[in-house]
Amino acid sequence: MDLERLERTLADAGEPAFRARQVWAWAARGAAGYNAMTDLPVALREQLAAQVPYSTLTLVNEVHARDGTVKSLFHTADGRPVEAVLMRYPAPPASRAKGSKRTIGRVVGRRSLCLSSQSGCPLTCTFCATGAMKFGRNLTASEILDQALHFRRMLLTAGGSPASSERGAGCPAEDAPDHAVFMGMGEPMMNLDNVLAACRRLPDIGITHRRTAISTVGWIPGIDRLAQTDMPVRLALSLHAADDALRSQIMPVNDRYPLADVLAACVRFHAAKRRLVFVEYVMLAGVNDRYEQAVALAERLDPKVFKVNLIPYNPTGSYDGSGSDAIGAFRAVLEEHGLRATVRLTRGRDIAAACGQLAAARA
Ligand code: SAH
């Protein structure tokens, strides 16, 4: 919901200041609508329903992948497309064995949201589908939060008892989203005010700052600002190449912010926040997956500052992805050099909801 409009409407109605907080608290817990907010006077609920749309986003299409991933396409009030993704992961084996996270007959793992910060993206990374679509505009903080609230309500309906969703009292914590990554459409550092304003409220929805990550192409002013915030949000860097020539070729933004400067900004971030920076490296066959490129990458990254996440390429038409053997070999080289490296579990590829595939096509 448009939180500024909510506050204005409540102020104009002569309502006390706590009302806006009260409405937000209900929304953040997944209430289905104003009508579920039972400690608000009925007349006020009706007035809000008439004057402040419950979401700034309209759901246009939703697709469910076989692995439980859900991709939602929304339109903003001015018709801009926005996509967001819910990823559900299996519970880790330890909790399965202990049954510690078991709710009546179910075992639940992490539920992670991939949020968009812009409609489209002004950058033109050659492997990313979002970069090929027309850039729309920055999203407001409310438009970012409404993506998260949509999934909060969805998990409540799917997992909570009907009674709890009627009351809007919130579902068991196991059913709420608990991680968020700004890895959907757009470059979050180019819209950092709104992204940070959204981050500030994510804990109310169940997503702590420590479980929130902002991913960037290496937009240095944004990295430096994030290092100054009081929120312990994680930084992720989309690196994809360890030399300037190749990086500029596949990520033109590298001409503006070259590799050495970007890595120096990440080192400053680490010094300020004491949190590892996660490097994303999408594996493109014959482009950036050779042995000597792994060595060069390992030599550039201080293992005390960086951890690498190798990303299997999700087809967008322009490249061939490295096979799992090549990815495994690349990872082994990094680890031999003492750099921690993991391979990202691909989710939602059958519905084009995977990394780099968000382009607002109707599925
Ligand atoms: N602009 C930010 C946020 C988008 S994050 C950034 O680039 O970091 C999206 C992540 O998915 C980035 O790491 C991006 O490099 C990666 N990605 C883009 N296209 C991809 C593709 N086709 N396959 C796998 N990962 C891709």
Side-chain angles (χ1 to χ4, degrees):
M1 85 185 46
D2 182 335
L3 294 166
E4 284 172 14
R5 183 162 169 183
L6 173 74
E7 280 175 19
R8 265 198 323 274
T9 306
L10 290 170
D12 291 350
E15 288 291 330
F18 66 82
R19 282 287 186 228
R21 287 194 297 277
Q22 204 177 0
V23 171
W24 166 251
W26 277 102
R29 289 196 308 261
Y34 294 110
N35 204 30
M37 303 181 182
T38 44
D39 53 2
L40 249 59
V42 174
L44 182 59
R45 288 186 240 163
E46 284 169 1
Q47 187 188 347
L48 289 176
Q51 294 182 3
V52 187
Y54 198 54
S55 177
T56 56
L57 302 176
T58 307
L59 182 67
V60 177
N61 194 32
E62 196 152 73
V63 270
H64 294 252
R66 284 187 289 276
D67 62 18
T69 300
V70 182
K71 176 169 80 165
S72 306
L73 169 64
F74 307 93
H75 278 175
T76 60
D78 58 342
R80 308 285 187 179
V82 177
E83 284 183 319
V85 180
L86 163 70
M87 293 158 291
R88 282 178 271 206
Y89 295 90
S95 75
R96 239 178 268 162
K98 281 191 282 144
S100 61
K101 286 202 170 174
R102 191 173 284 275
T103 59
I104 323 128
R106 284 174 314 125
V107 177
V108 266
R110 141 201 308 221
R111 292 152 315 279
S112 200
L113 302 183
C114 182
L115 302 176
S116 291
S117 55
Q118 301 180 312
S119 174
C121 184
L123 303 176
T124 50
C125 303
T126 53
F127 44 83
C128 179
T130 307
M133 69 181 274
K134 196 165 141 273
F135 174 61
R137 62 167 171 80
N138 283 339
L139 299 181
T140 66
S142 295
E143 287 165 341
I144 295 169
L145 287 166
D146 275 326
Q147 299 167 48
L149 290 178
H150 170 74
F151 292 113
R152 178 74 169 95
R153 291 191 289 271
M154 176 190 291
L155 288 173
L156 183 61
T157 317
S161 70
S164 72
S165 77
E166 261 164 43
R167 285 201 316 273
C171 51
E174 288 90 328
D175 289 323
D178 57 3
H179 288 72
V181 292
F182 282 89
M183 296 188 187
M185 290 177 164
E187 170 50 42
M189 296 299 190
M190 296 176 81
N191 183 22
L192 196 54
D193 286 336
N194 290 326
V195 166
L196 291 178
C199 285
R200 213 161 276 292
R201 287 181 185 259
L202 284 177
D204 301 335
I205 302 177
I207 302 163
T208 63
H209 298 319
R210 294 193 162 274
R211 290 174 164 187
T212 301
I214 297 181
S215 179
T216 179
V217 293
W219 197 263
I220 294 176
I223 296 173
D224 283 334
R225 269 195 63 204
L226 188 64
Q228 301 306 319
T229 64
D230 55 342
M231 292 182 273
V233 170
R234 185 177 295 287
L235 173 66
L237 170 68
S238 294
L239 192 63
H240 309 316
D243 69 276
D244 279 306
L246 177 59
R247 193 163 191 267
S248 288
Q249 190 188 320
I250 62 178
M251 299 178 72
V253 68
N254 189 69
D255 288 335
R256 177 161 182 171
Y257 296 120
L259 206 49
D261 298 348
V262 171
L263 294 178
C266 292
V267 170
R268 289 195 294 277
F269 177 90
H270 178 263
K273 298 297 230 189
R274 292 285 143 206
R275 294 208 77 193
L276 278 184
V277 176
F278 284 5
V279 164
E280 296 157 273
Y281 194 99
V282 59
M283 298 292 295
L284 306 172
V287 176
N288 67 356
D289 67 347
R290 289 195 300 279
Y291 171 82
E292 61 275 18
Q293 291 169 315
V295 174
L297 180 63
E299 284 173 350
R300 290 204 85 137
L301 301 180
D302 178 349
K304 291 197 289 297
V305 176
F306 297 99
K307 176 180 175 276
V308 178
N309 201 206
L310 300 175
I311 312 178
Y313 172 66
N314 297 307
T316 58
S318 2
Y319 294 94
D320 291 324
S322 313
S324 56
D325 288 355
I327 297 176
F330 198 92
R331 175 185 181 185
V333 176
L334 299 180
E335 296 210 310
E336 276 160 25
H337 283 75
L339 195 61
R340 265 180 286 170
T342 52
V343 179
R344 180 174 291 175
L345 193 60
T346 299
R347 313 292 291 176
R349 205 188 260 182
D350 58 318
I351 55 167
C355 309
Q357 292 185 313
L358 301 186
R362 290 291 295 268

